[in-house]
Amino acid sequence: MEPQGTEQAERFRASVRACVTGLVLPGWRGIGALDGTEREEFRATTRAALAERGWVAPAWPVEYGGAGLSVTELIVLVEELTAAGIPFGSDNDSFGITMLGNTMLRWSKPELLQRFLPKIVSGEYVFAQGFSEPGAGSDLASLALRAEPDGDRWVLNGQKLWSSGAHQANWMFVLARTNREAAPHRGISMLLVPLDQPGVEIRPIRNLTGDTDFNEVFFDGAVTERELVVGEVDRGWAVAMTLLGFERGELALHAPIRFRNELDRLIELVRERGLDGDPDIRRRIAQCHIQVEQLRCHGLRTATAMIAGKEPGPAAAAFKLLWSEYHQRATELAVDVLGLDTLTPTGRPSPNWYHTDDPGAPNSSASWTSVYLNARAGTIYAGSSQIQRGIVGEMVLGLPKEPRPAPTKS
């Protein structure tokens, strides 16, 4: 579904551009032109302005703080804000809005929705994700964190790992084992847990780029209210699968537009280095262009289905597989173009995880080197490429499951 040219799209595009004009100063080149402090202040200001219009959660119903946009309007909004270098919100909005909020709209009662969703949109409630554990990454069903009932509350004990943005959050949606007698995929519940309490310890983890986006989170007698369960008690596995589908599904709309902007920056870098006549570089750029267009078409199809009320389902695993492997190839090309400059990078590292610096920023070797390093993890986090291929093969293509090894005799 292409939004360009329709009367609805162009009318809404004009309103988005008018909003952008009111948010930025004359001579605006994009958020990439701002330094660290200015950048954070601008993000906070624009997030508040977008939240007032319901554009932080644009597809949500109006009564919960959204804007109820059609798929055409949603695509236009993403295109215009990205092109203008306007951020969509905070880093944690991907957890609170894209993942949790959309999942709650599918599984939660109106009372819980009214309590949480408007506060997520306003920024009062900031969420992080609590899924992976030291012994439960791609094999999520083996999670061990326990939540035991105690009167009108749950008591949690255990650990979560690789919790992105937990150091910036005041809430976490947590997959916990609430029935230890059940089979691995059963007896799991999704709980909403406040982080600002005794019994919760958050320890940042430094990654390959030197950043501390990831965290390990320890629960030692932490508590949450008994009714703060998304879906039904002991049936959280289906809820978690819905959430992972939304994570990958909504990314299918945003990521291709950002990858297109990033590819334009890569082409500019190739020209700056005088390599635009190199046949091998041209071939690799052409491959990147084809793959970005494939991702864009996939995103349009996914967004159309989501706005129509269809969950992304297991087919969303294909998009995660495609974009993560594409981005490794694209950033490897950037490193090859930069050559020895990647050994002594200069300029500002990219503040983004999975695309190079924002519009307005110079095409620095540090921005490309940092996003190259982050791209190494793209085929591991949120489900490794091997897991995604298994999901596509078994649940989309209907292929037989891989045989399990025979149990060893003790």
Side-chain angles (χ1 to χ4, degrees):
M1 178 178 181
E2 297 282 3
Q4 290 83 2
T6 67
E7 182 179 350
Q8 176 193 16
E10 296 314 307
R11 187 167 56 247
F12 184 68
R13 192 182 303 276
S15 69
V16 176
R17 288 179 177 175
C19 175
V20 168
T21 300
L23 288 174
V24 302
L25 297 173
W28 172 255
R29 292 185 294 136
I31 192 173
L34 304 180
D35 64 24
T37 302
E38 291 175 325
R39 174 187 174 85
E40 292 310 310
E41 290 176 352
F42 182 78
R43 290 190 71 170
T45 300
T46 53
R47 190 194 185 284
L50 295 178
E52 279 187 24
R53 293 172 173 262
W55 289 355
V56 169
W60 287 8
V62 174
E63 60 265 33
Y64 298 128
L69 297 188
S70 67
V71 63
T72 298
E73 292 168 328
L74 182 58
I75 293 168
V76 167
L77 180 66
V78 173
E79 287 179 342
E80 290 299 320
L81 293 184
T82 302
I86 304 289
F88 290 86
S90 71
D91 292 334
N92 287 70
D93 281 336
S94 61
F95 305 113
I97 293 174
T98 301
M99 300 185 201
L100 177 63
N102 287 330
T103 301
M104 290 182 69
L105 284 167
R106 164 66 176 82
W107 287 96
S108 296
K109 295 179 180 179
E111 297 80 16
L112 201 61
L113 296 176
Q114 195 59 59
R115 176 176 173 182
F116 276 86
L117 297 195
K119 291 184 177 181
I120 293 173
V121 170
S122 71
E124 181 179 348
Y125 287 174
V126 180
F127 271 88
Q129 182 179 18
F131 275 24
S132 295
E133 299 181 5
S138 294
D139 183 18
L140 190 57
S142 61
L143 64 89
L145 184 143
R146 304 188 312 278
E148 298 173 334
D150 180 21
D152 61 354
R153 63 183 190 173
W154 296 97
V155 180
L156 288 81
N157 288 282
Q159 179 186 356
K160 292 297 179 182
L161 190 59
W162 310 119
S163 297
S164 304
H167 58 300
Q168 299 171 319
N170 52 22
W171 283 85
M172 176 178 281
F173 53 91
V174 176
L175 276 189
R177 191 159 299 284
T178 48
N179 184 345
R180 284 185 280 178
E181 304 301 321
H185 287 79
R186 304 182 184 276
I188 293 173
S189 304
M190 185 184 291
L191 310 179
L192 307 180
V193 182
L195 295 179
D196 186 14
Q197 62 166 305
V200 175
E201 181 184 358
I202 300 173
R203 299 180 187 172
I205 300 171
R206 191 170 300 279
N207 64 19
L208 189 62
T209 65
D211 295 327
T212 53
D213 300 310
F214 300 111
N215 302 267
E216 51 184 345
V217 183
F218 297 87
F219 297 88
D220 184 10
V223 300
T224 193
E225 298 171 41
R226 189 74 174 267
E227 65 266 24
L228 297 189
V229 181
V230 181
E232 298 183 34
V233 175
D234 292 346
R235 297 187 179 181
W237 185 255
V239 180
M241 295 303 101
T242 296
L243 184 143
L244 292 175
F246 278 121
E247 175 190 11
R248 294 162 186 161
E250 192 143 324
L251 186 64
L253 175 61
H254 292 256
I257 297 173
R258 292 171 179 167
F259 286 149
R260 166 53 59 191
N261 287 356
E262 181 184 69
L263 181 56
D264 289 343
R265 290 173 63 85
L266 178 54
I267 293 171
E268 180 185 344
L269 179 68
V270 169
R271 287 172 174 156
E272 289 173 359
R273 297 284 169 142
L275 296 174
D276 47 322
D278 185 295
D280 185 59
I281 297 294
R282 294 176 67 88
R283 175 186 61 80
R284 292 167 70 183
I285 286 287
Q287 288 178 329
C288 289
H289 170 76
I290 292 169
Q291 289 179 299
V292 168
E293 285 300 298
Q294 289 174 333
L295 293 172
R296 184 180 67 86
C297 292
H298 188 116
L300 291 172
R301 182 173 63 248
T302 301
T304 302
M306 287 176 61
I307 296 296
K310 298 178 182 178
E311 294 181 17
F319 184 78
K320 200 280 177 175
L321 179 66
L322 290 171
W323 79 253
S324 60
E325 298 195 349
Y326 156 76
H327 203 219
Q328 289 185 353
R329 287 189 287 272
T331 54
E332 285 167 4
L333 173 55
V335 167
D336 288 345
V337 169
L338 287 166
L340 293 177
D341 285 348
T342 58
L343 299 180
T344 56
T346 58
R348 185 181 73 182
S350 173
N352 307 299
W353 289 0
Y354 59 92
H355 64 99
T356 194
D357 214 337
D358 295 299
N363 225 341
S364 72
S365 56
S367 68
W368 282 109
T369 302
S370 64
V371 79
Y372 163 80
L373 293 174
N374 272 322
R376 301 308 93 197
T379 52
I380 301 173
Y381 62 65
S384 67
S385 287
Q386 291 85 350
I387 293 294
Q388 305 314 308
R389 285 187 168 86
I391 293 172
V392 172
E394 295 172 13
M395 302 182 69
V396 179
L397 301 179
L399 301 178
K401 293 185 177 182
E402 292 187 24
R404 295 185 178 276
T408 57
K409 296 181 179 180
S410 56

